[in-house]
Amino acid sequence: EASGVLGYIVSQLELLKSIPPVLFGLILLWFSAGLSAFVDNVPITIALIPVLQSLEAYGFNIQPLWWALAFGAGFGGNGTIIGSSANIVVASLSDRTRSPITPRLWNRRGLPVMLLTCTVASILYLLLFPLFNDNPIPIIAIQSLGLAKRQGAGGEIRRPCKEEDRRSLIHL
């Protein structure tokens, strides 16, 4: 964020505002899946959260984009061993067996699974897109992690405290 890369990404994504929202969500889903296949999905998700928050300032409806990011980052991590911390742990433990999971073996199995799950998620995203606009759960989940910023009474931007998170979750 400090290097300005995320700001550049947001300014480029703003050019995509003319694209229908459902298509933009699909682009985000596949973009985050591709990144998550080669970089652990947790840092990718954390890096893209401020991008989504900035898009809201440009007038984007980001509610369905939270879902696209969750699907893309989650399923994309299955594509390679390094896509998810759990993959690394399993592959490392398999080294102690007679049939270890090598990166080549993982790619032959994991990449097709990633492509299939992202395709299914894309189809469901298309079909269920209207439902993704009304559900506040992803934003509250992001806020409970302390990653989302909230506006204070005086207009200042601040991070939520744990008590606010509990109250937000109770009012669902």
Side-chain angles (χ1 to χ4, degrees), residues 118-142:
C118 285
T119 300
V120 170
S122 296
I123 293 167
L124 291 174
Y125 187 83
L126 281 169
L127 294 174
L128 302 174
F129 183 76
L131 298 177
F132 295 133
N133 284 307
D134 299 324
N135 192 344
I137 291 174
I139 290 176
I140 290 172
I142 296 294

Side-chain angles (χ1 to χ4, degrees), residues 84-159:
S84 170
S85 302
N87 301 354
I88 295 169
V89 171
V90 168
S92 296
L93 290 174
S94 78
D95 286 340
R96 300 178 191 164
T97 68
R98 284 189 273 160
S99 49
I101 300 172
T102 64
R104 185 173 187 196
L105 176 62
W106 188 284
N107 291 344
R108 282 190 282 163
R109 303 292 196 288
L111 196 55
V113 168
M114 178 197 109
L115 294 172
L116 179 64
T117 55
C118 285
T119 300
V120 170
S122 296
I123 293 167
L124 291 174
Y125 187 83
L126 281 169
L127 294 174
L128 302 174
F129 183 76
L131 298 177
F132 295 133
N133 284 307
D134 299 324
N135 192 344
I137 291 174
I139 290 176
I140 290 172
I142 296 294
Q143 289 171 342
S144 70
L145 292 172
L147 300 171
K149 296 177 183 174
R150 293 188 187 162
Q151 192 167 1
E156 76 282 0
I157 300 295
R158 58 189 174 78
R159 294 209 179 268

